[in-house]
Amino acid sequence: MVSESSLDRQIAQLKNCQPISEQQVKELCLKAREILQVEEANVQWIDSPVTICGDIHGQFWDLLELFKVGGMCPDTNYLFLGARAFFLGQTDVTLAISANASSRTSHAPGDYVDRGFYSVETFLLLLAFKVRYPDRITLIRGNHESRQITQVYGFYDECMRKYGSASVWRYCCEVFDYLTLGAVVDGKVFCVHGGLSPNVHSLDQIRLIDRKQEVPHDGAMCDLLWSDPDDIEGWGLSPRGAGYLFGADVVKQFVHTNDLSLIARAHQLVMEGHKLMFDDLIVTVWSAPNYCYRCGNVASILELDENLKSSYRTFDAAAQDTRGIPAKSTALQYFL
C-alpha cells in the first residue's frame, strides 16, 4: 500500500529530477495498474474544464515549464496525450523539421518516454500524480509506450543505466498496457494520441478493444496510436510503417457519426506548438519545446473551459534544458 505521505515525498523527490528507488517504482506501478484497471475505460469520460497536453518525450525540465504555464497538478486537471522518452539523432531532427515546415482538468496524449534524457523521471512523476490524484490527471497511451519501441529509442537503456537492471523498465511497460486509448471531454471532444482507423467508425468500437497488451503491429489499437491526418482523400499508407494517413472526409464523417465538435491528438512535431486542420475539426498539440534540444520549436497546451471554448498557451524550452545534457552519438534512421 502506497500512503499519501509516501507519495508526497516521492513527488517532491521526482520534481527535483531525482529517481526514486526500484522498490518504490515497483509499488507505484502496482498501484497505478490497480487504478487504471478498475477506474478507467478504453475511452475515458472527462469533465471540463480540462487542459490537454501533447508529447513530452522525456524532456523533464520542459514538463516543469508546462506546469508553470498551465498550473501544477492537482490545481489543474490534466489530460496527457502521451510522452515518449528517447533521444533523436541529427538525421531524425532534420526529418522532423522538414516534415512539419477556474480549476482546469489536464489530458495527456501519450509518448511520455524516449528521445529525451529524463524519461524515467518524466514518466514516474506523471504516474505518481496519477496515483496521488487519480481524478485530476489522465494519461493516454502513445505509440512509444511499448516494449519494442522503448528498447530501440532509449527508455530501456536509460532504465538500465540508472537502476542497473531491466526491472524498472518491465514495471513501467506493465503500466503501459493499462493506459487508456482515448478520452472524450463532455461527450464532444475526442482525445487520442495518433488518429483514426479504417476499422473504427464509432467510439463504442474503441470501447470493445482489449487494450491490456503490447501495441499490435496492425489493427484498430495500432492505428489509434500511429495514424496521422493529411491533405488526402480517404485513407492512405503511412510513411511511418504503421497506422494510416487519413483525410478531411474521414474526419468529418467520424465527427458527424459520434456527435463530436473536435478531435485533439498529438504524435507529430508542430513548430508553432499546435495546428488546426479540416475546418478546425482536428488539432495537433505538441508540448515538447525545442524538441530533442535542437528543433527550435515552441510548445503548447490546449485549455478547454466549462463551455468547451478553446485557448492555446504556448511556451518555450526551460533554461534547465541546456544543463547537464549527456553526450549522445545515436543517429536514428526515422522520425516517429
Side-chain angles (χ1 to χ4, degrees):
M1 179 67 181
V2 184
S3 67
E4 290 185 358
S5 60
S6 175
L7 280 169
D8 289 339
R9 288 192 296 271
Q10 291 175 31
I11 288 171
Q13 184 173 333
L14 288 165
K15 281 183 180 179
N16 289 321
C17 202
Q18 299 173 354
I20 57 178
S21 71
E22 181 177 318
Q23 181 61 33
Q24 288 174 319
V25 174
K26 180 179 181 179
E27 294 172 358
L28 180 66
C29 288
L30 285 172
K31 183 59 179 178
R33 285 167 53 191
E34 176 185 322
I35 291 171
L36 293 169
Q37 182 175 21
V38 173
E39 300 183 13
E40 298 208 347
N42 287 358
V43 181
Q44 185 70 1
W45 180 279
I46 304 292
D47 292 322
S48 63
V50 61
T51 295
I52 299 175
C53 310
D55 291 31
I56 305 300
H57 280 296
Q59 296 182 198
F60 178 84
W61 301 110
D62 293 323
L63 175 62
L64 296 190
E65 193 71 13
L66 183 156
F67 286 138
K68 290 179 185 177
V69 172
M72 184 57 70
C73 185
D75 298 329
T76 299
N77 190 3
Y78 281 98
L79 198 169
F80 282 86
L81 299 172
R84 312 180 186 184
F86 47 72
F87 177 77
L88 271 169
Q90 181 62 53
T91 301
D92 301 283
V93 174
T94 303
L95 287 172
I97 294 175
S98 63
N100 300 272
S102 82
S103 183
R104 188 170 295 276
T105 300
S106 292
H107 167 82
D111 282 3
Y112 308 97
V113 298
D114 293 333
R115 293 202 170 108
F117 297 120
Y118 303 102
S119 294
V120 170
E121 294 85 353
T122 296
F123 182 67
L124 292 179
L125 177 58
L126 292 174
L127 200 64
F129 278 137
K130 180 63 184 178
V131 173
R132 180 65 175 87
Y133 310 107
D135 297 327
R136 302 298 292 163
I137 183 169
T138 302
L139 304 177
I140 289 178
R141 190 173 190 174
N143 62 312
H144 279 260
E145 279 69 73
S146 119
R147 292 164 181 79
Q148 181 177 1
I149 296 296
T150 53
Q151 286 186 80
V152 175
Y153 291 96
F155 185 54
Y156 174 86
D157 292 335
E158 184 181 334
C159 291
M160 289 292 295
R161 184 173 67 252
K162 291 179 176 178
Y163 287 95
S165 76
S167 297
V168 165
W169 173 77
R170 286 197 298 268
Y171 300 148
C172 292
C173 287
E174 289 167 355
V175 174
F176 294 163
D177 290 344
Y178 285 79
L179 294 176
T180 185
L181 301 179
V184 60
V185 182
D186 290 353
K188 301 298 291 184
V189 179
F190 175 55
C191 303
V192 67
H193 176 72
L196 303 179
S197 169
N199 299 305
V200 173
H201 306 291
S202 72
L203 297 180
D204 284 340
Q205 288 177 286
I206 301 176
R207 294 183 175 103
L208 296 176
I209 296 173
D210 177 13
R211 79 175 192 266
K212 299 177 183 69
Q213 58 174 309
E214 174 70 347
V215 180
H217 294 291
D218 54 24
M221 180 172 168
C222 171
D223 299 341
L224 294 170
L225 275 56
W226 282 92
S227 295
D228 299 294
D230 201 1
D231 292 320
I232 62 172
E233 182 176 345
W235 298 94
L237 294 176
S238 173
R240 298 177 184 270
Y244 291 87
L245 301 177
F246 56 92
D249 54 333
V250 173
V251 170
K252 290 176 182 178
Q253 183 60 55
F254 189 85
V255 165
H256 174 75
T257 299
N258 294 279
D259 192 25
L260 301 170
S261 60
L262 178 69
I263 297 172
R265 44 93 62 178
H267 195 42
Q268 286 178 294
L269 170 64
V270 179
M271 297 301 291
E272 300 81 12
H274 72 277
K275 180 181 180 181
L276 284 155
M277 297 178 68
F278 309 151
D279 298 325
D280 296 348
L281 289 177
I282 188 168
V283 63
T284 299
V285 180
W286 186 265
S287 300
N290 192 28
Y291 184 40
C292 300
Y293 312 108
R294 64 182 77 174
C295 279
N297 62 288
V298 298
S300 74
I301 54 178
L302 166 57
E303 297 180 340
L304 298 176
D305 69 12
E306 295 87 348
N307 299 311
L308 295 183
K309 181 180 178 181
S310 302
S311 60
Y312 298 90
R313 302 186 66 179
T314 60
F315 60 98
D316 294 313
Q320 293 94 325
D321 276 356
T322 61
R323 302 177 189 174
I325 298 175
K328 287 280 184 177
S329 60
T330 304
L332 307 180
Q333 296 304 309
Y334 62 97
F335 174 66
L336 293 182

